[in-house]
Amino acid sequence: MMQGLKTSKAMTLIRRLAWDLVLRAEEEGVGLSAFTVVFPGKRPAFYLRRELGRLLKRPFVPPQILDIERFMTALAATAPTGVGRREASLVELLYLLFRTAVHTDGRGSAGGFESFSPWGIRLIKAFDEFGAGLVSPEELDRAVPLALADAGLSGEACGLWRGFPNLYRAWIERLAADGLWTRGERYRLAAETARALASGGSYPFPSWMEPGRRRVWLVGFSMLTKAEEEVFSSLSRLDCIREVAEGPEDDLSSHPSLTLHMQPDLHSQIFEARGLFTGLSDQGAIGPDEEAIVLPDQSALIPVLEWLVSARGVPFNISMGYPLAHTPPARLLCLVLDAQTGRRSDAFHVQEYLDVLRHPYVKGLRPLDARDREDLPAEECFRKIVHRIEAWVAEKRPIFVRCGDVLKDLEDDEGVGGVWVRFLSEVHRRLFLDPGEAADVRGFAAALISILDLIVDSSTWQSHSMAGEFMSALYEFLDTLIQGPIAAEPLTANGFRFLFRHLAREIHIPFVGMPLDGLQVLGLMETRCLDFKKVLVFDVNEGILPPEEDINPLLPPGLRRRLGLPGRKETVDLSRRYLQRLLSRAQEAHLFFSEGGERVKSRFIEEILWEKEKAGLIPVGYDVRHDDGVGYRSVCSSGGAGLPSGLFEQCGAAAVSMPKDGVASLLSSFIFSSTSIDTYLFCPFRFYAAYCLGLRQGIADVGRALGPDAVGRLIHRVLKEVYGRWLDKEMVFSGDESAVLAERLDCVLREEFGGNEWLNAAVDLFREAAFYRLGHLLRLEQDWVKGHILLGLERPFEAGFDLDDGVQVRLKGIVDRVERDRGSVLWVIDYKTGGDIKMPKGRYATDFSREALKATIGSFQLPIYLILCDRIFDLKGRWDRMNAAIYELKGIGASTRPDDVRKVLFGTGDDHESLMDSLYLPALKSIVSEILDPETSFEPDPSDPAQCRSCPYSTGLCRAAV
């Protein structure tokens, strides 16, 4: 005989329910199998059976345990119109709705299946909401005109809404006729069944439901849909159910151990969380109610598994679905479809081409032929060829790529080899050629299966987390497209791309594991009714928790209100309730979030901080923030009053500081350019990453027809063509240079873009702007360069430079233009098309430290060019016979004056020799000596936020100013 139930605040909902069930069974003299328990989700069933076993300590037949979906399905199946129905796949439903729309008013056939499918997926979601919200076609008839009037729109603006009620009515009838149902239809029929049972209708009662017995337990429900409200209300009138509610959430401001962690990104959150699992793998078995990782964003699952759970050797169980669209193989197929959509004839946009090749599954490929594999080292893979192609793109800088052009050039590359050239041809055939030849759903899906076959047969895909589950799900999905009713529907590449992406987003991959073993990895919804001792919640950011609003254009807010459907407020309230419930029942809780850029901490964290402020636990206005740009802070709550000494905790890693050991030999032979020295001047760590480690910064402007880099390169080419006729001669303008400029400009554009007619609009716009600005530059130049002798154009220079300790280093640079004026002064000209012009600022210096020179000098470009010209032209340090200028080409127009364009290093009255000998030369020697000094470390410099934002190493390696 069980003793009376001892309740306490510490008792979990599941334990309290188990006690209630056992006591009720003893009172009524029945077994537990006489009861039915309904939870909001599936997971609590395992915990309830476990708790019942602990209480009874003997074999037993458990109660029937259903989640709300199975419960509503069981009720709906007892309705006369619900008998024999089955669940249909989304693909089947989409085609069925398309045919229904065609037969209802002909709208579905206007643009065929391709035009209908984007709206079809949204319509299915809307109709599901109508079912769960008990919205009838008649209510739609009344609500649509009112919603339009609320928005100030006339009936003519109704568009697709006009056919909404009739299409929904026809949809309900079509589902019934075909013996199918959706979630919304199941909920609608369940509510209809419960209403009929409560009103004494002729519907049969399910065998497990008896009026007056209250043997159905509804556990942990809140914020019900209208269909759920109708069902629960009707069954309550029949005295069939017993509701078990959760207690109120605790006040989080006084939570004994709630810690907020800020890190710049998810990877950093995971890195910090690893410290919370120290020794966990040595504790033996982990109870299912001990440790939980909660992921509001499903896409965080793979990084968490890779870098946190698996890396610590912790047993785990996943209790959440993962969207097929987020899996690595599906992402690869999306990239392939992007390339097909953006192709022009047989050419692919270079960025989309590279995106496909850079996918980890592609880079891990090895030749299919076993004989070819035998000729290769075991570790060699397609990554080597991808790097070669990247170098080819960096050199050629194409906007569109033809696979044949890449193959042709790589055939001549001695470092590639025939094996890889043959295999690259096969990769091109699978990834870039076959899909473009498809014309219907079956053809596109078959081409994608061919790509998966290539990956499975010859890649290292198995080394990635959950790779087997992901591949199996993707094969099954593509097979559904090939075998399903939409297989023969004609589609363009863009139409199939949209269909694939949106269907893949709706398919979730379930994970099979041991529900009552190890660390639990769950989504927020899966935590309902469950309690854990320690909880870690990642990505607690706006747009994730609460989730970003999923706006269905078919259901705008005004129409939702008229139909009584839940809106944004209800979604936010539901997320808040689930989070508060989870945290208030945990003994230890950690919330991780990111800030910076577009990322903002969740409003729920702001609410927690506000509650702490009101309770006097943290200072008013305190925020989780950076510690002077280095490392990150955590805010920990405390039950005590005032500001606890342990409130602030340094966590995460400080910015990386790299020693010089191992790079001395590299630097001893390093050839310094003005770019490398300016890089060091602004941030030593960026210099180290780029020039010592050789980390590439990516291919800037790749694939952008007329991005900033491309504009600069084209302008330099045009000016070289215009001025090239005067090389080694006196520059003599003929008066109107427009004809020459037009000819040279058109020649450069033809060479750059050829006959690519798809670029005409962008090229024409660039041509007009370039012709206007360069025309005015030539106008300004006519008087300035009269009598000048042109000595060089884009000429590369290299020369030695002596330091004070007798060490000589090499300097190099490419000078845009060198000329000698009528007074025999040598001029160095550099063109700038961007807006970031750096000129030496100071005229003297007493402090030659890097930090001081950063403010005084700003850029060593022009002084270094003068040093190079002094050596090359053997001027023997006669600085008074030299000068330099930057031409700022941006913004030149009819009203521009010469001084607006020409930024001169030495102005009128400046002592050239004094500035060079007392400022620029000592400063350059100092900064180069510092770079070579083994006692100095390459420390990050976060003092210039603009430089840090543009730095490719700021988040991955440094994080000094994140």
PDB file of all heavy atoms in Angstrom, residues 43 138 198 215 271 373 465 520 680-681 710:
ATOM      1  N   ARG A  43       8.631  13.053 -25.313  1.00  0.00           N
ATOM      2  CA  ARG A  43       9.711  12.732 -24.395  1.00  0.00           C
ATOM      3  C   ARG A  43       9.268  12.389 -22.981  1.00  0.00           C
ATOM      4  O   ARG A  43       9.813  11.470 -22.354  1.00  0.00           O
ATOM      5  CB  ARG A  43      10.697  13.911 -24.383  1.00  0.00           C
ATOM      6  CG  ARG A  43      11.934  13.735 -23.555  1.00  0.00           C
ATOM      7  CD  ARG A  43      12.786  12.581 -23.992  1.00  0.00           C
ATOM      8  NE  ARG A  43      12.882  12.474 -25.432  1.00  0.00           N
ATOM      9  CZ  ARG A  43      13.459  11.454 -26.063  1.00  0.00           C
ATOM     10  NH1 ARG A  43      13.971  10.476 -25.352  1.00  0.00           N
ATOM     11  NH2 ARG A  43      13.504  11.422 -27.371  1.00  0.00           N
ATOM     12  N   GLU A 138     -16.821  29.652 -43.920  1.00  0.00           N
ATOM     13  CA  GLU A 138     -17.778  30.755 -43.766  1.00  0.00           C
ATOM     14  C   GLU A 138     -17.147  31.924 -43.000  1.00  0.00           C
ATOM     15  O   GLU A 138     -17.389  33.094 -43.331  1.00  0.00           O
ATOM     16  CB  GLU A 138     -19.026  30.263 -43.036  1.00  0.00           C
ATOM     17  CG  GLU A 138     -19.880  29.273 -43.820  1.00  0.00           C
ATOM     18  CD  GLU A 138     -19.231  27.907 -43.957  1.00  0.00           C
ATOM     19  OE1 GLU A 138     -18.441  27.530 -43.050  1.00  0.00           O
ATOM     20  OE2 GLU A 138     -19.493  27.218 -44.974  1.00  0.00           O
ATOM     21  N   ALA A 198     -19.871  15.334 -26.332  1.00  0.00           N
ATOM     22  CA  ALA A 198     -20.391  16.112 -25.204  1.00  0.00           C
ATOM     23  C   ALA A 198     -21.860  16.449 -25.380  1.00  0.00           C
ATOM     24  O   ALA A 198     -22.587  16.623 -24.394  1.00  0.00           O
ATOM     25  CB  ALA A 198     -19.575  17.389 -25.030  1.00  0.00           C
ATOM     26  N   ARG A 215     -10.376   9.097 -16.264  1.00  0.00           N
ATOM     27  CA  ARG A 215      -9.169   8.269 -16.368  1.00  0.00           C
ATOM     28  C   ARG A 215      -8.216   8.741 -17.471  1.00  0.00           C
ATOM     29  O   ARG A 215      -7.250   8.069 -17.765  1.00  0.00           O
ATOM     30  CB  ARG A 215      -9.544   6.812 -16.586  1.00  0.00           C
ATOM     31  CG  ARG A 215     -10.154   6.200 -15.336  1.00  0.00           C
ATOM     32  CD  ARG A 215     -10.466   4.743 -15.496  1.00  0.00           C
ATOM     33  NE  ARG A 215     -10.950   4.176 -14.244  1.00  0.00           N
ATOM     34  CZ  ARG A 215     -11.432   2.935 -14.117  1.00  0.00           C
ATOM     35  NH1 ARG A 215     -11.493   2.144 -15.178  1.00  0.00           N
ATOM     36  NH2 ARG A 215     -11.843   2.500 -12.939  1.00  0.00           N
ATOM     37  N   PHE A 271      33.051  26.815 -26.873  1.00  0.00           N
ATOM     38  CA  PHE A 271      34.377  26.729 -26.267  1.00  0.00           C
ATOM     39  C   PHE A 271      34.298  27.011 -24.769  1.00  0.00           C
ATOM     40  O   PHE A 271      34.906  26.309 -23.961  1.00  0.00           O
ATOM     41  CB  PHE A 271      35.314  27.722 -26.947  1.00  0.00           C
ATOM     42  CG  PHE A 271      36.714  27.702 -26.400  1.00  0.00           C
ATOM     43  CD1 PHE A 271      37.627  26.753 -26.820  1.00  0.00           C
ATOM     44  CD2 PHE A 271      37.109  28.637 -25.451  1.00  0.00           C
ATOM     45  CE1 PHE A 271      38.917  26.729 -26.311  1.00  0.00           C
ATOM     46  CE2 PHE A 271      38.400  28.620 -24.928  1.00  0.00           C
ATOM     47  CZ  PHE A 271      39.304  27.665 -25.364  1.00  0.00           C
ATOM     48  N   ARG A 373      43.522   5.878 -57.632  1.00  0.00           N
ATOM     49  CA  ARG A 373      43.732   6.070 -56.196  1.00  0.00           C
ATOM     50  C   ARG A 373      45.071   5.491 -55.750  1.00  0.00           C
ATOM     51  O   ARG A 373      45.733   6.036 -54.863  1.00  0.00           O
ATOM     52  CB  ARG A 373      42.609   5.410 -55.405  1.00  0.00           C
ATOM     53  CG  ARG A 373      41.249   6.065 -55.583  1.00  0.00           C
ATOM     54  CD  ARG A 373      40.277   5.534 -54.570  1.00  0.00           C
ATOM     55  NE  ARG A 373      38.935   6.059 -54.793  1.00  0.00           N
ATOM     56  CZ  ARG A 373      37.976   6.054 -53.885  1.00  0.00           C
ATOM     57  NH1 ARG A 373      38.208   5.550 -52.700  1.00  0.00           N
ATOM     58  NH2 ARG A 373      36.781   6.543 -54.155  1.00  0.00           N
ATOM     59  N   SER A 465      29.699  14.364 -38.457  1.00  0.00           N
ATOM     60  CA  SER A 465      28.660  13.939 -37.513  1.00  0.00           C
ATOM     61  C   SER A 465      27.341  13.673 -38.222  1.00  0.00           C
ATOM     62  O   SER A 465      26.921  14.453 -39.084  1.00  0.00           O
ATOM     63  CB  SER A 465      28.447  15.015 -36.438  1.00  0.00           C
ATOM     64  OG  SER A 465      29.571  15.137 -35.614  1.00  0.00           O
ATOM     65  N   GLN A 520      21.253  14.990 -22.207  1.00  0.00           N
ATOM     66  CA  GLN A 520      20.099  15.214 -23.074  1.00  0.00           C
ATOM     67  C   GLN A 520      20.311  16.468 -23.917  1.00  0.00           C
ATOM     68  O   GLN A 520      20.633  17.534 -23.387  1.00  0.00           O
ATOM     69  CB  GLN A 520      18.826  15.364 -22.238  1.00  0.00           C
ATOM     70  CG  GLN A 520      18.513  14.159 -21.364  1.00  0.00           C
ATOM     71  CD  GLN A 520      18.253  12.898 -22.172  1.00  0.00           C
ATOM     72  OE1 GLN A 520      17.403  12.880 -23.055  1.00  0.00           O
ATOM     73  NE2 GLN A 520      19.006  11.845 -21.875  1.00  0.00           N
ATOM     74  N   TYR A 680      51.279  46.254 -40.501  1.00  0.00           N
ATOM     75  CA  TYR A 680      51.877  46.156 -39.172  1.00  0.00           C
ATOM     76  C   TYR A 680      51.623  47.415 -38.362  1.00  0.00           C
ATOM     77  O   TYR A 680      51.379  47.356 -37.158  1.00  0.00           O
ATOM     78  CB  TYR A 680      53.381  45.906 -39.282  1.00  0.00           C
ATOM     79  CG  TYR A 680      54.043  45.764 -37.932  1.00  0.00           C
ATOM     80  CD1 TYR A 680      54.073  44.536 -37.279  1.00  0.00           C
ATOM     81  CD2 TYR A 680      54.608  46.865 -37.284  1.00  0.00           C
ATOM     82  CE1 TYR A 680      54.652  44.400 -36.030  1.00  0.00           C
ATOM     83  CE2 TYR A 680      55.188  46.740 -36.038  1.00  0.00           C
ATOM     84  CZ  TYR A 680      55.207  45.511 -35.410  1.00  0.00           C
ATOM     85  OH  TYR A 680      55.767  45.381 -34.164  1.00  0.00           O
ATOM     86  N   LEU A 681      51.693  48.557 -39.032  1.00  0.00           N
ATOM     87  CA  LEU A 681      51.498  49.824 -38.339  1.00  0.00           C
ATOM     88  C   LEU A 681      50.137  49.860 -37.646  1.00  0.00           C
ATOM     89  O   LEU A 681      50.022  50.328 -36.505  1.00  0.00           O
ATOM     90  CB  LEU A 681      51.614  50.977 -39.348  1.00  0.00           C
ATOM     91  CG  LEU A 681      51.637  52.404 -38.802  1.00  0.00           C
ATOM     92  CD1 LEU A 681      52.884  52.629 -37.966  1.00  0.00           C
ATOM     93  CD2 LEU A 681      51.573  53.403 -39.957  1.00  0.00           C
ATOM     94  N   ALA A 710      37.321  45.652 -58.557  1.00  0.00           N
ATOM     95  CA  ALA A 710      37.231  45.612 -60.018  1.00  0.00           C
ATOM     96  C   ALA A 710      37.249  47.020 -60.600  1.00  0.00           C
ATOM     97  O   ALA A 710      37.900  47.274 -61.629  1.00  0.00           O
ATOM     98  CB  ALA A 710      35.961  44.874 -60.440  1.00  0.00           C
TER      99      ALA A 710
END
